[in-house]
Amino acid sequence: VRIGAVVALRRLASPSIAVFLQDTDTDIVLEAARAIHDVPITGAFEELANAHAKITTHLETGRRILNANFRLGTAERADLVARIAGDSQVEDTLRLIAVDMLANWAKPSARDIVLGFWRPLNDRNRNIARTAMIDHMGGILSGSNAVRSAAIKAAAGLGIEQAGPVLLEVLLNAEADGRSRADALAALGAINHPDFRSTVAEHLQDEVAEVRIQARHELIALDVIQAVQSLDKATESENMLERQAAFRDLALIDSPPAAEILLAGVQQLVKQELAADTRVDVRLAAKLAKSEAVQKAIADYESSLDPNDITSRFLDCLEGGNAERGRKIFYERTQVSCVRCHKYEGRGGDVGPVLDKLGIEKDRKYLLEAIVKPNAAIAKNFESLTVVDLDGLITTGVVKANNDDFVELLTAEGKLVRIAQENIDFQKQSKSPMPDDLIKHLSLDDVRDLIEFLKTPASP
């Protein structure tokens, strides 16, 4: 009955629907929040923003409560968003959304944060978000590594000079994760901390690679000659991340010494003397270099790759990827839609094979070819068939059954289609349902990250 009342009030766009935000049934609260936020029912937005006690009842309820506060945009609302960002009882997903809202408070996106609809807001006073974040900085920075890193970047973007002592505390905390410490160092530069130069110099020799990498990057703006010398040494580091970052950072420097180092890197690449996990980084850095000699050298290298074999263009991607970035591509990159057709760790579609054990059973080159040449080797039991029925309707999909009575195909959209044998006019084997042009949506970095993700054992 109450669900029916919520639906009725939603259809009427009645502000009285706000009474259901205080219901004890979390599903009722969710439906009321959706109605007020999504329709929208502007007369009930204040009540939705004030329903912050319900923020932990459901992720989608919480997102709408946060967005109501964000869209109202007052100092009081910014303070509430900052308080939620610093609340240890709130899940990380919502805390990260809250931090992002503060970071973008002054210039909000024209698209609604929750729905993606075109709902533009006017630019607003940045000091509102600055003040709110300063007041709750302690709680926000005491969150998880992800929340802390996001907060550090937000503080830097908002120019919160008062965050200096807290940022230094994070940077000097040997127990903090490397990414948070590196972000803290970058943030100190963004707020023009008075001791930034000496702090960078001190952390060039930090025990953690991520911090050393960030220190070298910051050094470029402080002392370019010293930066080139430090980056030169880092290109020969035993640490993969340092080598990769060093070549990328050298591309930012317009000087003959930096060009010489990059040119030497390309020459090592050509001679197959470069570490396999750094080949992509040298290629991409060389393309961005200001030196014509470096750009010509990398152009010559890429033109030497077999133009008739797409795999040759990506052989440098076999090593050195980031599994977490690969995971995001697999699950979230809509242009490639890996998860629509493949299952991994129980999530995904059934059009293609389950990939949990693929990285254990196959080598990296097999994984590369599966990405860039999907029709080279179609997995057993995932052969595709194209069927034309007597009405001229064409259906293509993975064969799930093919007997005397019918053919059953699983289409790329995940739809199971059964066609009686007596209604089939013509059938033939077809290509893999995996698109041939998938690779046009993937960079060298993307391919390398996907391979690393697939080589990482799936969680039990």
Side-chain angles (χ1 to χ4, degrees), residues 98-309:
V99 171
D100 186 67
M101 286 177 171
L102 293 169
N104 295 288
W105 196 271
K107 293 187 176 295
S109 169
R111 293 196 176 276
D112 184 86
I113 292 171
V114 174
L115 302 175
F117 294 167
W118 189 260
R119 289 181 177 176
L121 293 167
N122 294 327
D123 288 355
R124 304 182 292 201
N125 188 340
R126 185 177 75 151
N127 287 330
I128 290 177
R130 289 180 79 254
T131 300
M133 194 158 190
I134 289 168
D135 289 346
H136 297 279
M137 184 66 73
I140 298 172
L141 287 175
S142 66
S144 67
N145 292 335
V147 172
R148 188 185 303 119
S149 288
I152 288 169
K153 292 175 183 176
L158 290 169
I160 300 177
E161 296 87 352
Q162 296 92 326
V166 180
L167 295 175
L168 276 173
E169 183 180 338
V170 173
L171 175 60
L172 299 175
N173 181 2
E175 296 182 1
D177 72 293
R179 186 67 264 154
S180 292
R181 294 183 60 221
D183 288 341
L185 179 59
L188 286 167
I191 65 172
N192 296 313
H193 191 274
D195 298 326
F196 184 59
R197 180 180 288 269
S198 61
T199 302
V200 167
E202 177 184 349
H203 290 281
L204 288 170
Q205 305 301 324
D206 196 276
E207 293 182 357
V208 178
E210 288 162 297
V211 180
R212 295 195 300 271
I213 289 167
Q214 191 65 48
R216 291 190 196 97
H217 179 77
E218 301 299 335
L219 189 60
I220 294 172
L222 301 173
D223 186 336
V224 71
I225 294 176
Q226 186 185 353
V228 172
Q229 294 171 348
S230 183
L231 290 168
D232 187 15
K233 291 180 181 178
T235 61
E236 299 179 359
S237 170
E238 293 181 0
N239 184 282
M240 178 189 77
L241 295 178
E242 287 193 276
R243 292 195 304 275
Q244 292 178 342
F247 280 112
R248 303 267 185 150
D249 276 347
L250 283 164
L252 305 175
I253 301 172
D254 187 6
S255 76
E260 285 180 19
I261 300 166
L262 284 175
L263 186 58
V266 176
Q267 290 167 348
Q268 286 181 299
L269 176 69
V270 172
K271 296 176 182 177
Q272 301 286 316
E273 296 174 353
L274 192 70
D277 56 23
T278 315
R279 297 176 68 85
V280 166
D281 307 280
V282 168
R283 283 177 66 173
L284 297 179
K287 286 183 177 182
L288 295 173
K290 305 295 189 295
S291 165
E292 291 184 6
V294 175
Q295 289 196 3
K296 181 180 184 305
I298 195 62
D300 289 345
Y301 167 75
E302 294 196 338
S303 65
S304 72
L305 303 176
D306 186 352
N308 298 315
D309 181 10

Side-chain angles (χ1 to χ4, degrees), residues 331-356:
Y331 284 117
E332 300 174 20
R333 183 78 64 84
T334 55
Q335 297 97 321
V336 293
S337 300
C338 303
V339 73
R340 186 181 68 181
C341 296
H342 297 281
K343 266 195 173 66
Y344 191 86
E345 296 177 339
R347 293 173 57 191
D350 297 313
V351 176
V354 176
L355 301 182
D356 291 46

Side-chain angles (χ1 to χ4, degrees), residues 70 72 91 203 227 260 307 334 336 361 394 441:
F70 178 71
L72 290 171
E91 63 183 290
H203 290 281
E260 285 180 19
T334 55
V336 293
E361 298 169 348
I394 302 172
H441 301 294

